[in-house]
Amino acid sequence: MSVQPAHNAASDVQNPQEGHRLADMPVHDPFVLADSSSDTYYLYSGAAPRLNGVDRHGVLVYKSKDLEEWEGPYVVFAIPDDSWADPQHGAWAPEVHAYNGRYYLFVTLHNEGRPLEGDPVQGYAKHWRGTATAVSDSPEGPFELLNLESPVVPSEQMTLDGTLYLDEEGRPWMVYCHEWVQTLDGTIEAVRLSDDLSSAVGEPILLLSGSAAPWLRSATASESEQSVPSVSDEPPVYVTDGCQLYRTSDGSLNMLWSSYEDGSYVQTIARSASGKLEGPWEQLDPLVKEDSGHGMFFRTFDGEWRLILHRPFKMPESRGYLYPIKDLGDRFGLAE
């Protein structure tokens, strides 16, 4: 599939400015790219008409030299009219990765006008939802969709929050969440990607299920009734989102992911017992609660690990928060 130009909505964002602080910036599903070629931190979040003055959903970026003061926002991607996704139906969980000399955007898009089979679950109808990939020569965009026809994972599956993972041979994978709306017990899965990151290669593999988190069992009166979120007279559901993978100093493979405990967002972490993507994956203690989640790790230009996540879950109140992180050898943990 040839690359097609994206709609440019940069002029629709009103008055980008310098001197922003994280506490002032409404961000959701934050992702930081520490770009060593420019010594600049790029913070990506979704762009929405009612929040950012754009005419369609897309992705915006703030940039900083010190993680204290930020400049922006600037739109780096807007959903084009000729793609499978609807420009008015949202852009979730954007992240940007440097890969093979270019920059690749992973972003979850939607089309509520293209329904999928199956009855609604707790009021949520099934429709096209999945991660798309786009490319640019700059972390500041503009990013152009690699496939205008469909998301990376086949469109009959409701998926979200895809992230790039390179295995021991340097082969690209997308790790993503299979939506609880379709599965009830949400999962995290992985699929090989083509070398240009435009499409899936082969069948996905299951990494873990949301119900595997042992701390969810303490959230309810009995294990047989555990439910996230808790809704009476409805089947229990288990949310998975915000998956990200990192290796520790001893080569252990850790995965960040998020779910809910008693209706409150939780940032948690798992570890592969084999050190490989296939797992098996064992759940570790949550890192942050207090309605916090969808986090990611990055390293500062001084070599220090940081976690950024958002709190609370709902926009427009949601803000980004930074935490210092320790590499504990076989796992990551919050620094004291």
Side-chain angles (χ1 to χ4, degrees):
M1 176 66 64
S2 62
V3 174
Q4 299 294 323
H7 170 85
N8 182 6
S11 61
D12 299 326
V13 175
Q14 301 299 314
N15 301 319
Q17 298 177 2
E18 299 179 355
H20 294 293
R21 299 280 180 165
L22 284 178
D24 305 321
M25 297 155 49
V27 297
H28 206 260
D29 305 343
F31 187 93
V32 171
L33 170 68
D35 184 53
S36 58
S37 67
S38 61
D39 290 332
T40 301
Y41 299 103
Y42 290 96
L43 170 56
Y44 298 90
S45 184
R50 66 184 180 88
L51 288 176
N52 310 111
V54 293
D55 66 357
R56 62 187 60 215
H57 287 270
V59 177
L60 58 80
V61 70
Y62 293 87
K63 52 187 180 180
S64 174
K65 294 292 187 180
D66 59 9
L67 298 175
E68 296 289 337
E69 294 190 352
W70 297 84
E71 175 188 338
Y74 301 98
V75 170
V76 297
F77 169 76
I79 302 171
D81 289 323
D82 55 350
S83 79
W84 63 270
D86 192 303
Q88 302 304 321
H89 292 173
W92 295 355
E95 54 185 73
V96 171
H97 300 267
Y99 174 76
N100 283 353
R102 304 189 80 187
Y103 295 88
Y104 287 82
L105 168 70
F106 287 62
V107 59
T108 301
L109 305 179
H110 318 259
N111 193 326
E112 298 172 12
R114 304 182 77 165
L116 298 174
E117 293 183 358
D119 295 330
V121 175
Q122 298 186 8
Y124 292 90
K126 300 176 178 68
H127 58 263
W128 278 39
R129 170 180 293 164
T131 297
T133 51
V135 67
S136 176
D137 291 324
S138 167
E140 300 184 24
F143 288 89
E144 300 172 344
L145 283 177
L146 291 168
N147 186 345
L148 293 169
E149 304 301 324
S150 69
V152 173
V153 175
S155 56
E156 62 268 18
Q157 298 182 32
M158 290 187 74
T159 63
L160 70 164
D161 297 356
T163 188
L164 177 64
Y165 172 74
L166 302 180
D167 66 17
E168 294 84 351
E169 287 75 42
R171 297 174 300 186
W173 293 72
M174 188 174 78
V175 181
Y176 62 93
C177 300
H178 196 162
E179 180 69 275
W180 67 268
V181 173
Q182 193 172 39
T183 65
L184 295 182
D185 190 356
T187 62
I188 297 178
E189 303 174 8
V191 68
R192 276 283 313 279
L193 292 178
S194 58
D195 288 340
D196 67 357
L197 310 188
S198 66
S199 58
V201 177
E203 295 298 317
I205 59 174
L206 174 66
L207 304 185
L208 61 88
S209 298
S211 60
W215 49 268
L216 287 179
R217 298 188 175 95
S218 65
T220 57
S222 69
E223 291 187 6
S224 63
E225 295 174 353
Q226 57 184 300
S227 175
V228 182
S230 178
V231 179
S232 61
D233 301 323
E234 294 282 359
V237 301
Y238 303 90
V239 175
T240 51
D241 72 14
C243 48
Q244 302 281 338
L245 292 96
Y246 307 91
R247 288 203 182 271
T248 64
S249 55
D250 77 352
S252 295
L253 184 60
N254 283 206
M255 181 196 297
L256 290 175
W257 66 285
S258 292
S259 191
Y260 287 84
E261 182 183 50
D262 284 344
S264 181
Y265 214 32
V266 176
Q267 178 62 70
T268 193
I269 190 168
R271 177 179 58 200
S272 170
S274 68
K276 297 182 180 297
L277 181 64
E278 293 83 356
W281 288 89
E282 53 189 357
Q283 300 300 321
L284 306 178
D285 291 337
L287 292 175
V288 187
K289 294 188 177 183
E290 300 177 351
D291 202 21
S292 305
H294 203 112
M296 57 85 63
F297 291 153
F298 66 95
R299 299 189 80 167
T300 69
F301 297 126
D302 295 328
E304 301 293 329
W305 285 100
R306 294 287 185 271
L307 164 68
I308 188 169
L309 50 70
H310 70 250
R311 180 171 70 242
F313 178 81
K314 290 185 178 180
M315 291 289 275
E317 295 84 7
S318 179
R319 297 291 185 270
Y321 290 83
L322 283 169
Y323 295 82
I325 294 296
K326 281 187 176 181
D327 182 337
L328 301 174
D330 66 338
R331 69 185 70 190
F332 293 99
L334 292 183
E336 297 180 357

